[in-house]
């Protein structure tokens, strides 16, 4: 059983702020600044270039991959860090397409994150062989599986509504039709228990700056099932994915296994931050985290529905069908969220009308939920969101 009061003390959170947006950018773990100071001063500052060996920088993407693997039901040596999630989507998708060469369709759903869909569109256009992306509503994915589909590309938890796909069921349904699967775990890793090996997933990708709290710009991760790892082509053939990077051969030869999914020089400062952030997860029991996340979300929904009749639940009502976020529709959602943020309740807004609140038991408790509900209820009741200062939109919503 995890002591969530103890994990809360491991984060720096501004006084008076209730942070319900860890699903977009996790807060700063208190251990990160000291870890960064060490990496800067003792490693970069003192060891200079020798730190690649002496401080083990070169192995960080694999070493931290093994620690993330534990959180997503994957074995050691199946996960590596690097690049951004969009790039890892591209690599996984390209590799999966090449492993299913007779087929031309990438199937996804209309709720998927646009960058995942854009990467699929760009890849299909570049292949120029009739390969195309098809999207269907999330509820229609199972029936759209056919022998034309090469790859099923899905995000387990919908970024807008929090709706959760049944990963195990859809993966086996896809496999029965000869389809490979790419699962995006952006809103799953660190949010709920994931069992990639148990579900038989082929490829998975995810980011580390959301629920894993590694900071803005932290690198993504990619998983390749062990039975595919020696056959998967990385699509982006960078030197650090080469079998012998320091032989400097003119021709590309992929490294064995998951290492081939590396591309170029890894972001060491961000990986150092990630390493410190991952220490927190050593203490966390994922089943307990999930139970507490459901309990907080249920409490929030009940509180909002009792006090804010103008907000309409956009997330599934059944907790098992949700990730760790709760969304409500409101026509003036952007202004209302600006008013919430001004009152100290930080969530975010997703067009056209979604107010999104993430629940992260590591640092959010019942008292925070109750206080957030009463602050939101006050804003909705007195319509203070109508004030002119809440109408401006920044570049990031
Ligand atoms: C957050 C998120 C991304 C972001 O991709 P980056 O390349 O890291 O900016 C992509 N896909 C999904 C599903 C996301 O939730």
């Amino acid at each position: 059983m995890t002591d969530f009061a103890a994990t809360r003390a491991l984060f720096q959170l501004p006084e008076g702020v209730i942070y319900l947006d860890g699903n977009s950018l996790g807060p700063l773990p208190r251990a990160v600044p000291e870890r960064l100071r060490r990496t800067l001063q003792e490693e970069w500052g003192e060891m200079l270039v020798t730190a690649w060996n002496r401080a083990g920088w070169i192995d960080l993407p694999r070493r931290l991959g093994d620690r993330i693997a534990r959180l997503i039901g994957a074995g050691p040596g199946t996960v590596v860090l690097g690049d951004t999630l969009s790039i890892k989507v591209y690599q996984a998708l390209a590799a999966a397409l090449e492993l299913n060469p007779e087929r031309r369709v990438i199937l996804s759903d209309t709720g998927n994150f646009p960058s995942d869909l854009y990467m699929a569109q760009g890849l299909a256009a570049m292949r120029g062989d009739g390969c195309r992306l098809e999207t269907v509503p999330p509820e229609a994915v199972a029936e759209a599986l056919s022998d034309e589909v090469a790859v099923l590309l899905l995000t387990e938890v919908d970024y807008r509504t929090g709706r959760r796909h049944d990963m195990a069921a859809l993966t086996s349904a896809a496999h029965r039709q000869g389809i490979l699967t790419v699962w995006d775990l952006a809103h799953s890793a660190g949010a709920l228990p994931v069992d990639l090996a148990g579900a038989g997933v082929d490829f998975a990708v995810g980011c580390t700056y959301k629920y894993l709290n590694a900071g803005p710009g932290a690198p993504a991760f990619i998983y390749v099932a062990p039975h595919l790892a020696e056959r998967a082509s990385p699509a982006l053939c960078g030197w650090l994915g080469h079998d012998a990077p320091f032989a400097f051969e003119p021709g590309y030869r992929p490294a064995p296994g998951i290492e081939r999914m590396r591309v170029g020089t890894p972001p060491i400062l961000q990986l150092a931050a990630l390493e410190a952030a991952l220490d927190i997860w050593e203490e966390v029991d994922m089943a307990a985290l999930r139970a507490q996340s459901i309990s907080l979300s249920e409490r929030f929904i009940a509180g909002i529905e009792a006090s804010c009749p103008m907000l309409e639940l956009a997330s599934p009502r059944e907790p098992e069908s949700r990730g760790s976020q709760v969304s409500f529709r409101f026509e003036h959602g952007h202004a209302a969220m600006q008013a919430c943020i001004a009152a100290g309740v930080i969530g975010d807004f997703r067009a056209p009308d979604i107010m999104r609140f993430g629940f992260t038991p590591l640092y959010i408790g019942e008292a925070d939920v109750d206080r957030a509900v009463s602050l939101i209820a006050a804003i909705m009741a007195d319509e203070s969101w109508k004030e002119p200062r809440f109408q401006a939109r920044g570049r990031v919503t």
Side-chain angles (χ1 to χ4, degrees):
M1 194 57 202
T2 309
D3 177 357
F4 291 112
T7 55
R8 182 190 182 104
L10 301 175
F11 291 92
Q12 175 180 326
L13 289 157
E15 197 57 40
V17 164
I18 302 167
Y19 194 55
L20 304 181
D21 210 3
N23 49 305
S24 188
L25 176 68
L28 174 65
R30 287 190 191 278
V32 164
E34 170 55 20
R35 180 69 174 79
L36 283 180
R37 192 204 57 78
R38 255 180 37 224
T39 303
L40 287 167
Q41 297 292 345
E42 294 167 23
E43 298 177 2
W44 183 17
E46 294 299 321
M47 299 180 195
L48 295 158
V49 73
T50 69
W52 285 106
N53 287 318
R54 284 167 67 200
W57 286 355
I58 197 67
D59 300 320
L60 264 183
R62 260 289 291 280
R63 233 176 40 236
L64 300 189
D66 282 349
R67 293 182 68 186
I68 288 174
R70 219 178 50 78
L71 300 175
I72 55 176
T78 63
V79 176
V80 76
L81 274 299
D83 316 295
T84 69
L85 178 50
S86 303
I87 286 172
K88 276 357 207 182
V89 166
Y90 188 91
Q91 279 188 290
L93 201 49
L97 281 171
E98 279 199 38
L99 290 167
N100 216 349
E102 306 301 319
R103 301 182 181 196
R104 292 287 176 272
V105 174
I106 302 164
L107 179 67
S108 190
D109 72 56
T110 51
N112 204 348
F113 191 76
S115 200
D116 296 38
L117 301 178
Y118 302 158
M119 292 315 267
Q121 290 162 12
L123 175 61
M126 198 169 74
R127 287 175 57 103
D129 58 355
C131 175
R132 65 188 188 280
L133 170 70
E134 287 182 4
T135 54
V136 296
E139 322 72 67
V141 168
E143 66 211 56
L145 300 172
S146 77
D147 61 9
E148 299 212 319
V149 177
V151 186
L152 178 62
L153 167 68
L154 291 177
T155 298
E156 184 186 17
V157 176
D158 186 302
Y159 75 103
R160 237 193 240 117
T161 63
R163 178 210 32 76
R164 181 188 185 194
H165 276 305
D166 185 336
M167 184 187 292
L170 283 171
T171 298
S172 40
H175 287 169
R176 281 197 295 279
Q177 304 250 25
I179 301 166
L180 289 170
T181 54
V182 177
W183 284 95
D184 189 327
L185 305 178
H187 298 278
S188 310
L192 40 85
V194 176
D195 186 6
L196 290 181
V201 166
D202 302 295
F203 295 86
V205 293
C207 49
T208 60
Y209 53 80
K210 291 174 179 162
Y211 290 94
L212 296 178
N213 313 307
F221 63 84
I222 183 167
Y223 161 87
V224 182
H227 73 285
L228 298 175
E230 300 301 331
R231 290 191 286 137
S233 154
L236 302 171
C237 301
W239 71 306
L240 289 184
H242 192 280
D243 185 37
F246 285 87
F248 297 107
E249 295 167 12
Y252 182 77
R253 287 187 295 115
I258 194 68
E259 290 269 1
R260 69 184 56 188
M261 291 297 174
R262 293 178 63 166
V263 182
T265 303
I268 295 304
L269 296 181
Q270 290 281 188
L271 287 167
L274 174 61
E275 186 163 42
L278 285 174
D279 285 344
I280 294 169
W281 294 94
E282 301 296 325
E283 328 273 319
V284 177
D285 174 67
M286 288 309 281
L289 179 98
R290 176 65 171 159
Q292 181 68 355
S293 141
I294 288 176
S295 151
L296 295 174
S297 313
E298 292 285 275
R299 191 179 185 96
F300 183 73
I301 292 172
I304 292 291
E305 289 193 325
S307 58
C308 304
M310 62 298 279
L311 298 187
E312 180 202 343
L313 184 65
S315 299
R317 192 164 290 282
E318 167 60 40
E320 276 309 315
S321 306
R322 292 195 301 263
S324 202
Q325 71 183 61
V326 171
S327 300
F328 283 91
R329 284 184 211 288
F330 179 56
E331 191 189 341
H332 307 283
H334 185 269
M337 185 54 78
Q338 294 309 303
C340 290
I341 292 170
V345 182
I346 302 184
D348 61 18
F349 171 77
R350 287 293 173 261
D353 59 356
I354 296 275
M355 297 173 72
R356 185 171 76 154
F357 303 93
F359 293 90
T360 315
L362 295 187
Y363 50 84
I364 292 294
E366 272 142 27
D368 300 308
V369 170
D370 295 347
R371 189 162 155 66
V373 166
S374 73
L375 287 166
I376 295 166
I379 288 163
M380 299 314 295
D382 69 9
E383 300 194 327
S384 57
W385 54 264
K386 288 186 172 166
E387 290 175 29
R389 63 187 173 125
F390 299 136
Q391 310 310 311
R393 287 202 189 195
R395 282 192 66 189
V396 176
T397 64

